[in-house]
Amino acid sequence: MNKRYEIKAPKSSYVQIFGAILSAILLLLIVQKDDFLSVFFVVILFLASLIQVVMLLKGNLRKNNELEITEHTIKINHTEVPIQKIEKVIIQGYFAQSIGIKLSGRKLVKMNLHFRFKNNEENNVEELKQWASMNSIEVTNGKIYRWI
């Protein structure tokens, strides 16, 4: 079974980008110029927010948005994951379903393993579920907790 799908970033990543930009702007607005220590901490927090925005934009603007499913691996944007490393597939949402692939021994889903299908979402999710059941990988519905 070799299939290729077009994928896109989940909606939650756009919300994260907006929140990080908003928090960076708010940090600049609340800085008090008379206290060195508060200025120092605000600058550090601003730089952390800026790094978060850059990382999220880098993930969302990648050009190779494709998922390839083979018998023994799943390949997302040139990241190949063998089925032995996959603990479960998490499906979040009902109308706009996003998929997260949780690796064994990890508590959070990596950002590049969280995606949505671009076209024909319902059929593609069903095919992914069938592939997971053929390879005895657990498929659950729930919240996807991910790292940047």
Side-chain angles (χ1 to χ4, degrees), residues 63-125:
K63 293 185 176 153
N64 299 326
N65 288 329
E66 67 178 23
L67 166 74
E68 183 179 354
I69 296 176
T70 63
E71 286 184 41
H72 303 292
T73 61
I74 189 165
K75 188 175 182 181
I76 302 171
N77 297 325
H78 307 294
T79 303
E80 194 167 324
V81 182
I83 59 171
Q84 296 83 7
K85 289 188 176 183
I86 300 173
E87 181 180 326
K88 64 180 169 180
V89 175
I90 305 168
I91 300 172
Q92 178 180 329
Y94 183 73
F95 294 111
Q97 295 178 331
S98 66
I99 289 87
I101 298 175
K102 186 173 178 293
L103 301 179
S104 298
R106 302 285 178 127
K107 293 185 180 189
L108 303 171
V109 173
K110 292 172 72 176
M111 186 170 121
N112 59 345
L113 297 178
H114 185 203
F115 61 91
R116 287 179 49 207
F117 287 107
K118 199 169 194 173
N119 301 318
N120 204 4
E121 289 183 34
E122 290 180 18
N123 291 338
N124 294 343
V125 169

